[in-house]
Amino acid sequence: MLSWIDHQLDLQQINDYYEFPMQLDLDRDNGKYLSPKANRSIRNLYTLHRFKFDDERVTRENSKRAIEDQYGGEEELPHINPGFNNSPFKFTKYSNAYMLVYIRDSEKDKIICNMDEKDIAQHLRARLKKEQEEKEKKRKEKAEAHLYTTIKIAREEDMCAQIGKDIFFDLVDHDKVWSFRIKKQMPFMLVKEEVAREFHIPVPCQRFWLWARRQNYTYRLNRPLTSSEETRLVGELTDVSINGNNAELTLFLEFGINPGFGFCPPPVKTKEDLLLFFKVYDPSQEKLRYVGSLFVKGSGKPLDILSTLKRMAGFAVDEEIELFEEIKFEPRVMCEHVDRNKTYRDNQLEDGDIICYQKFPKAGSGEQLCCPSNVYSFLEYVHNRQVVRFRFLEKPKVDEFSLELSKLHTYDDVVMKVAQHLGLSDSSKIRLTSHNCYSQQPKAQPIKYQGVENLSDMLIHLNQICDILYYEILDIPLPELQCIKTLKIAFHVAMKDEVILSTVRLPKQSTVEDVLNDIKSKVDLSHPDAQLRLLEVFYHKIYKIFLPSETVENISDEYWKLRAEEIPEEERNLGPLDLLIHVYHFFEDTSHKYLKIQNFGDPFLFVIRGGEILADVKLRIQKKLQVPDAEFSSWKFAFVLHGRPEYLQDSDIVCARFQRRDIFGSWEQYLGLEHTDNAPKRSYAVNQVPAVYNDHFSKFQNRHAIEKPVKIYN
C-alpha cells in the first residue's frame, strides 16, 4: 500500500480543485519510479481509494461519490425563479475530511477487509476504552453543569502560605485553595461534613464566612453564614453570595482552638465585634508576611492591642510600631495610616479589613531603612514592579539579562540600573530603544534622553504592553549626542565601483557644506579641488539635491539614502544650452497592474547638450558606465514622465524633451535606460564608523540589499 499520510501529520481540509489519477502504474518506464529494493516479481499497479472521516466513523466512499464529491471548487444552486435572477448562485463545496490512499491491487483484499474488536491490539483497545470513558464523563459533566457548583474554602493556613510569596494584596488567591464540586441540591450540612473529613475539624467547631467584592474592586470577608442559612441548600447560598459568579461559592473557614484541648466552637459574634486581619512588613528585608486575625470591638482603639500585635509579629515589648490600612491596589495603591488613638469605627474599619504594621526606626540608633522604607512604598513598588528583558541592539533576538524595575522609574533610574548591571561608570552613555510588539523588532527611533516620564511609557506600543527594551553603549553621552545631528552617508567613489559608508556628526545648526567638508576629510578624492554634492535617493530615484546652505537638523536618513559624490567637471561648466537631467535604470513589469515600469540600480545625473541627438548621448553614457558593446546594444532609451516611457530614436534631439522646467519634482521626468537588471552586488566599505553604529550601517545595507547597481566611473 502506498500512502503519503504520516500518523503525526496535521490534516487540513482543502477546498480548491485537485485531481488525482484513478490508477498508478509504477511498473511503467521500466520501473523507474520504484526504489532499488522494490520487489519486481509482483505487479505494482495501484488503484485510488477514498475514505471518509466523519467524527468517529471512517467509511469507504463509492466510486461515483469519489469522482463527484471528492474535489473542492464551486457548485451552482438550481434556479428557483429564473425570471427574477439570471445569474446562478455559486457556493464553495464543503464536505467531511477525506483520505486518499493508493492500494496495490494484489493486496486489496488483505487491506480492505472486515474488522472486529479482536483485530485491535490489546493496548489500543485499553486506550480507546479509556478515551471513550473520559469523553463520556466530560459530556455528562457538560450536560449536568447547571446542576453543580464549585465550593472554594480558604483558611488562615492559605493566607500564611500565600501572602508575601504568591500574593501581596488582599488575603488569598481563591484559585489555590481547597475546592470541590457538589450538587446545588445538596444541603450545606453535607459540605460541613466533607470539611470535617478533609481537615479533621468537627462540624460544631466550623463557622463559614461569605466573601464579597466591594465597590473599590477588592475582595474582602463580608459576614458569617447564619444558622438558618447553614440549613439551606448549596444552590440557595450561591444566590446570597455577593461574588458575581453563580457557578462558585467562595467561603472562609473559621474555627476555634482551645490551647491544650484542641478544636472548639468559635466565639459568638455580635454586631459590635469586628474581624480584622494583620500583615507585618520588615523594611530591612523588604518582606511582607501574614501574622493572624483578631476580633476587636468597634468602639475599641488600636492602642489597646499593640502589645498583642507585637507578640504576633515576634517584636520586643518596647518596640514602637505604626499601623496602615490596606485599602485597594487598582488602579493605584491606597494604604492609609491608622490612628492608634481613634476607635476602629472612627478609623472606618469593618469586618474583613486588613491592617499592615511595621517597626518604627529607633531615634538616634543610626538605623538606615532600605527602600522601600514603609508599607505604602513597598506595596506601591510591588504594584508597579516590572521584570524587563534587555537585548543588545545589535542582537535584537537575544535576551541578554533581566532586571526587576518599577514602572514608575524615570529614564535616569532605568539607565542607571542597566549601567550598574553592565559595570559601566557613566550611565549617560547608554541609549535605550523600545520594542515594536507587531514587528517583534526594535522601533525605528531610539528613546530620546528624558523623553518619557517613566518606564511604563517605554514599554507601551499602540496600547500593547511589552517587557523588552534594547540598549546600546555610546562613545559620547546621550545628552551631548542629542545636540548633535548624526547622518549616515554613502560616498560613491569616483572611477570605482565602491561605496564608503560614513557617519557624520555635527551640531544641528551645521549646514550641508559642513557635512561635505567632513566627508572630504575622510575619503580619497580624485583631485584636491574636487567639489562634492549631497543627494537624497529613494527607490532608485534622486529626489533632492541639497543646497550647501541648508541646515542639517531636518535632514533624515531613516527611510531614504543620503549619497555624496564628486561633481564631474562637465557639470561645473554648463553651457547656455546644456541641461542637467536625471538618468534612471528600469525594466517593464507586465505582472504589476499599476506600476508598469520598475526602477533599479543607481540613478545618476547627466549633462545633455543643446541639439545633441540620442546616438551621441548613448555613446557618452556607455563610456560613463563602461558597458560592453554586446550588452549595451540591447538597451533601449526612453523619455519617462510620470511613469510612462516614450521610446526615443537615435536621431531624436534629447534636450527637446526636457525643455519644460516647471514639472513638479525633477525625478518625474528622466531619461530611462531599459535593460535587464543583472549587475553584480556592490562592495561596501565602512569608513570611521564607531562600533555603536555598525548595527545601523548593517540595517542601512540590508534595507537596500535588492539594489544591483551598474558600475559607475565618475
Side-chain angles (χ1 to χ4, degrees):
M1 180 176 73
L2 287 183
S3 175
W4 291 274
I5 307 298
D6 187 274
H7 71 285
Q8 293 180 341
L9 181 65
D10 290 331
L11 301 180
Q12 181 176 354
Q13 185 168 337
I14 300 173
N15 289 293
D16 295 327
Y17 188 94
Y18 288 91
E19 191 169 352
F20 299 90
M22 291 303 297
Q23 285 197 320
L24 195 63
D25 187 358
L26 297 187
D27 287 330
R28 68 189 181 94
D29 297 334
N30 201 25
K32 70 178 184 180
Y33 300 105
L34 293 171
S35 77
K37 298 180 181 180
N39 187 354
R40 301 298 182 101
S41 64
I42 60 175
R43 181 73 173 96
N44 291 295
L45 180 64
Y46 293 82
T47 300
L48 181 65
H49 297 265
R50 184 171 186 266
F51 297 91
K52 177 181 178 181
F53 288 74
D54 184 3
D55 294 332
E56 299 175 352
R57 296 168 52 206
V58 180
T59 57
R60 184 184 172 203
E61 274 290 13
N62 59 58
S63 59
K64 183 176 184 298
R65 295 284 296 178
I67 294 174
E68 293 181 355
D69 198 40
Q70 71 178 343
Y71 309 119
E74 293 184 331
E75 189 169 328
E76 293 184 8
L77 284 177
H79 287 284
I80 300 176
N81 297 307
F84 291 94
N85 184 8
N86 292 324
S87 300
F89 179 77
K90 296 183 179 181
F91 65 97
T92 303
K93 291 194 296 183
Y94 294 93
S95 58
N96 295 297
Y98 293 92
M99 181 183 289
L100 305 184
V101 181
Y102 283 100
I103 301 176
R104 188 189 294 128
D105 287 357
S106 60
E107 304 292 329
K108 173 185 173 184
D109 294 338
K110 296 180 181 178
I111 295 172
I112 304 178
C113 59
N114 294 327
M115 186 177 183
D116 55 29
E117 186 174 334
K118 71 176 185 299
D119 296 317
I120 303 175
Q122 177 63 35
H123 71 283
L124 287 179
R125 290 205 301 269
R127 177 179 172 182
L128 292 172
K129 182 180 179 181
K130 183 178 179 181
E131 289 179 354
Q132 187 63 31
E133 291 173 350
E134 290 177 351
K135 185 175 181 179
E136 179 62 23
K137 180 181 177 183
K138 290 180 180 179
R139 185 200 64 78
K140 186 177 180 181
E141 288 179 353
K142 184 176 181 181
E144 298 178 350
H146 64 287
L147 302 177
Y148 288 82
T149 190
T150 298
I151 296 182
K152 297 181 176 181
I153 298 178
R155 300 169 298 147
E156 286 203 69
E157 286 89 337
D158 298 309
M159 300 174 188
C160 287
Q162 293 183 18
I163 292 173
K165 298 174 184 176
D166 299 331
I167 63 171
F168 294 89
F169 302 99
D170 286 344
L171 291 171
V172 73
D173 181 349
H174 293 275
D175 291 332
K176 296 180 179 179
V177 301
W178 185 72
S179 65
F180 63 99
R181 190 167 177 261
I182 193 170
K183 282 188 175 181
K184 293 181 179 179
Q185 294 302 310
M186 297 289 288
F188 185 75
M189 287 302 298
L190 294 181
V191 174
K192 301 188 73 171
E193 292 177 4
E194 181 68 24
V195 170
R197 286 191 291 271
E198 178 69 23
F199 299 120
H200 308 291
I201 302 173
V203 169
C205 302
Q206 302 172 16
R207 180 158 64 192
F208 289 91
W209 289 66
L210 293 170
W211 296 82
R213 187 174 297 279
R214 295 183 178 177
Q215 291 183 346
N216 62 5
Y217 302 105
T218 57
Y219 212 48
R220 298 284 192 268
L221 287 186
N222 185 31
R223 62 175 179 83
L225 291 175
T226 65
S227 299
S228 173
E229 287 173 333
E230 289 191 349
T231 64
R232 297 166 67 176
L233 301 178
V234 170
E236 295 174 334
L237 293 180
T238 60
D239 296 332
V240 301
S241 175
I242 317 174
N243 63 0
N245 187 351
N246 212 26
E248 288 185 358
L249 178 62
T250 53
L251 300 170
F252 171 69
L253 172 59
E254 178 199 356
F255 50 87
I257 294 183
N258 191 347
F261 295 94
F263 296 108
C264 65
V268 176
K269 182 184 183 305
T270 67
K271 291 185 177 180
E272 178 67 11
D273 294 323
L274 301 177
L275 178 59
L276 302 179
F277 295 86
F278 296 89
K279 302 176 185 178
V280 169
Y281 175 60
D282 183 354
S284 64
Q285 299 186 35
E286 297 184 20
K287 289 186 177 180
L288 187 73
R289 59 189 174 95
Y290 177 77
V291 291
S293 61
L294 290 175
F295 276 102
V296 298
K297 299 294 183 181
S299 57
K301 299 178 181 180
L303 184 66
D304 304 330
I305 62 169
L306 292 184
S307 59
T308 302
L309 295 180
K310 295 174 189 177
R311 184 173 64 253
M312 290 168 60
F315 294 167
V317 294
D318 59 345
E319 287 283 1
E320 288 294 325
I321 60 175
E322 57 180 340
L323 286 68
F324 301 85
E325 180 191 1
E326 178 189 313
I327 300 175
K328 68 173 185 175
F329 61 95
E330 290 292 352
R332 61 185 182 86
V333 172
M334 284 190 66
C335 185
E336 296 182 351
H337 192 270
V338 175
D339 191 334
R340 66 178 68 189
N341 295 308
K342 288 185 178 181
T343 66
Y344 296 103
R345 299 293 186 194
D346 290 341
N347 276 297
Q348 298 183 348
L349 294 172
E350 56 186 274
D351 274 326
D353 279 344
I354 303 170
I355 304 296
C356 302
Y357 62 98
Q358 68 179 89
K359 295 179 184 178
F360 264 121
K362 294 180 180 179
S365 66
E367 181 180 351
Q368 298 295 319
L369 293 180
C370 299
C371 183
S373 60
N374 56 44
V375 170
Y376 172 76
S377 59
F378 174 75
L379 293 178
E380 182 83 3
Y381 169 73
V382 170
H383 181 255
N384 291 291
R385 67 179 172 181
Q386 172 72 53
V387 176
V388 181
R389 293 180 287 156
F390 286 89
R391 299 176 176 180
F392 190 41
L393 189 63
E394 293 184 10
K395 298 178 180 178
K397 296 294 185 182
V398 181
D399 290 341
E400 291 220 348
F401 59 90
S402 297
L403 295 178
E404 184 177 279
L405 305 171
S406 170
K407 295 176 184 176
L408 301 180
H409 274 158
T410 64
Y411 184 93
D412 288 338
D413 294 333
V414 175
V415 294
M416 186 176 295
K417 293 284 188 180
V418 174
Q420 289 173 355
H421 179 85
L422 296 175
L424 299 177
S425 59
D426 190 353
S427 62
S428 68
K429 290 185 178 180
I430 293 176
R431 181 162 66 177
L432 302 175
T433 300
S434 296
H435 179 70
N436 186 319
C437 297
Y438 297 100
S439 68
Q440 295 298 309
Q441 293 288 332
K443 287 187 179 180
Q445 294 294 332
I447 301 171
K448 292 185 177 180
Y449 174 67
Q450 296 183 340
V452 293
E453 288 190 10
N454 47 50
L455 176 63
S456 60
D457 296 327
M458 303 181 201
L459 300 178
I460 192 167
H461 174 67
L462 298 178
N463 296 324
Q464 295 290 322
I465 301 295
C466 68
D467 63 349
I468 298 173
L469 283 177
Y470 303 88
Y471 76 94
E472 53 186 319
I473 303 172
L474 307 174
D475 56 345
I476 62 174
L478 181 57
E480 180 182 338
L481 181 64
Q482 288 192 176
C483 296
I484 294 174
K485 184 69 176 183
T486 301
L487 295 174
K488 299 175 288 292
I489 297 174
F491 176 74
H492 287 229
V493 180
M495 302 304 293
K496 290 183 181 180
D497 186 25
E498 183 183 10
V499 172
I500 297 177
L501 298 175
S502 184
T503 293
V504 174
R505 286 177 175 173
L506 292 169
K508 292 183 177 180
Q509 295 74 29
S510 302
T511 64
V512 170
E513 184 176 6
D514 297 325
V515 172
L516 297 176
N517 288 333
D518 185 89
I519 292 176
K520 285 181 180 179
S521 66
K522 298 176 180 178
V523 300
D524 294 328
L525 303 175
S526 60
H527 57 90
D529 297 328
Q531 294 184 11
L532 305 185
R533 63 181 166 214
L534 186 65
L535 310 175
E536 183 180 86
V537 178
F538 185 62
Y539 275 100
H540 315 287
K541 293 182 178 181
I542 298 172
Y543 276 75
K544 184 173 182 179
I545 304 173
F546 292 95
L547 296 174
S549 59
E550 289 187 62
T551 58
V552 300
E553 184 173 5
N554 296 321
I555 297 178
S556 175
D557 57 7
E558 181 179 356
Y559 300 109
W560 34 77
K561 290 196 295 186
L562 296 178
R563 185 173 102 190
E565 63 187 18
E566 291 187 21
I567 302 175
E569 187 67 29
E570 63 175 0
E571 294 183 25
R572 296 164 58 183
N573 299 290
L574 292 177
L577 299 179
D578 295 342
L579 291 177
L580 186 63
I581 64 171
H582 293 224
V583 184
Y584 304 157
H585 305 269
F586 78 93
F587 62 88
E588 284 197 274
D589 187 358
T590 57
S591 64
H592 203 286
K593 184 176 180 181
Y594 300 105
L595 298 175
K596 298 301 183 184
I597 65 174
Q598 295 285 346
N599 296 103
F600 67 92
D602 270 331
F604 59 94
L605 301 173
F606 191 74
V607 175
I608 56 173
R609 302 185 176 94
E612 188 177 24
I613 62 174
L614 178 62
D616 296 331
V617 173
K618 289 168 64 174
L619 290 174
R620 292 197 295 120
I621 288 180
Q622 182 183 9
K623 181 179 178 182
K624 177 182 179 67
L625 301 182
Q626 293 291 297
V627 182
D629 291 340
E631 179 183 346
F632 193 76
S633 62
S634 64
W635 288 24
K636 296 179 182 179
F637 286 69
F639 171 74
V640 184
L641 179 60
H642 299 297
R644 296 184 179 88
E646 298 178 20
Y647 290 93
L648 303 176
Q649 303 298 320
D650 284 352
S651 59
D652 289 341
I653 298 176
V654 180
C655 65
R657 299 298 183 103
F658 290 89
Q659 290 302 311
R660 291 183 58 191
R661 298 175 180 271
D662 59 343
I663 299 292
F664 177 74
S666 57
W667 62 88
E668 293 297 348
Q669 60 169 359
Y670 59 87
L671 181 63
L673 312 182
E674 184 191 0
H675 61 96
T676 304
D677 179 9
N678 56 8
K681 291 281 186 181
R682 166 171 288 138
S683 62
Y684 287 81
V686 178
N687 182 288
Q688 298 184 3
V689 182
V692 67
Y693 289 103
N694 286 341
D695 180 61
H696 292 289
F697 275 120
S698 175
K699 295 177 183 176
F700 184 90
Q701 295 183 52
N702 293 337
R703 188 181 300 160
H704 305 281
I706 61 171
E707 180 177 329
K708 297 179 180 179
V710 298
K711 294 183 179 180
I712 301 177
Y713 294 91
N714 290 329

